[in-house]
Amino acid sequence: MKKYYYLLALVLLFSCNKKTESDGKDGSSMTVLNDTIPTKRKVVTEVAVASYSEKVKDKDNLNDWKFAVDVFETEDTFKYLVKIKYKELEAEDNLTLPNFGIQPTVKLEKGEEELTCIIGFLDKEGAFKEFKRVEIVGDQLKIRQTKGYGRSVVKAK
C-alpha cells in the first residue's frame, strides 16, 4: 500500500511542475509560466508606457495647445490609466487588456482623421490590435471602445 502512496506523490510532484516556453523569432525570449501572467505588478513604472501627441491648430497662433494621449501602468498587470489632454481639457479613462498568456504591450497609433488616436496592444505575433479610439469631434472629446477580444477555449472530446 505504501508504494501506491509514493507513486501518487511522484505523479503529483511531476504534474505540478511549471512549463516554460520561449519564442526566439525576433531574438528576444518570452517566458510563459503555465500560460498565466501574474495579476499584480511588482514594480509600477511612473513614466508613460505609450504616448501620442499632436499640435492643435489655433486660429490666432497665440496658444500652445496639443492633443495628447498617455498610457500609464497600474498595480494590476492588465489594467492601465489613460490620460488625455485636449487644449485645456484633461480627462482620464481606464484600459483593461485581455490576458492572452503574454505580457501586455500597449501601443498608440495616429488615426486616419486629424486629432484621432488609436489605443491598442500587440498580440503574440507582434501585430497591432485596435481596442479604443480617442478623438475630437466638433471640439468635443470622444472615447470609445472599437473592438473586443476574448480568449477562445477549445474543449477536448
Side-chain angles (χ1 to χ4, degrees):
M1 190 68 168
K2 277 187 174 180
K3 65 180 176 181
Y4 292 117
Y5 287 121
Y6 289 123
L7 182 62
L8 180 62
L10 281 173
V11 169
L12 288 175
L13 180 67
F14 285 115
S15 66
C16 293
N17 231 355
K18 293 184 179 180
K19 189 167 82 175
T20 307
E21 299 174 7
S22 292
D23 182 16
K25 292 177 186 170
D26 61 352
S28 64
S29 65
M30 179 183 313
T31 303
V32 179
L33 299 176
N34 284 343
D35 202 27
T36 61
I37 303 294
T39 57
K40 299 289 183 186
R41 287 188 175 91
K42 292 181 180 179
V43 177
V44 178
T45 306
E46 296 293 323
V47 296
V49 294
S51 295
Y52 173 80
S53 179
E54 68 179 274
K55 189 172 173 63
V56 174
K57 294 176 185 166
D58 181 13
K59 64 180 180 179
D60 298 327
N61 287 331
L62 298 175
N63 300 300
D64 188 25
W65 286 333
K66 67 179 178 176
F67 168 67
V69 178
D70 296 304
V71 181
F72 296 89
E73 289 181 346
T74 65
E75 187 178 284
D76 296 322
T77 301
F78 296 95
K79 293 184 180 181
Y80 294 85
L81 175 66
V82 180
K83 292 186 178 183
I84 305 153
K85 183 169 175 89
Y86 171 64
K87 293 184 178 180
E88 297 301 318
L89 174 69
E90 293 183 10
E92 291 184 354
D93 190 27
N94 295 316
L95 174 67
T96 303
L97 298 180
N99 181 349
F100 289 121
I102 62 171
Q103 261 319 352
T105 303
V106 178
K107 186 173 179 187
L108 303 179
E109 291 187 353
K110 179 174 178 32
E112 292 178 9
E113 300 85 20
E114 189 176 359
L115 302 177
T116 303
C117 176
I118 308 298
I119 301 172
F121 60 94
L122 300 180
D123 66 5
K124 287 183 179 182
E125 287 80 35
F128 179 75
K129 299 293 185 181
E130 180 178 330
F131 198 62
K132 285 189 175 189
R133 176 184 296 268
V134 180
E135 60 189 342
I136 306 301
V137 178
D139 216 28
Q140 291 187 351
L141 176 64
K142 304 280 184 183
I143 306 166
R144 61 186 167 100
Q145 183 170 336
T146 56
K147 295 188 179 181
Y149 299 92
R151 190 173 183 178
S152 62
V153 178
V154 179
K155 293 184 180 180
K157 292 183 180 181

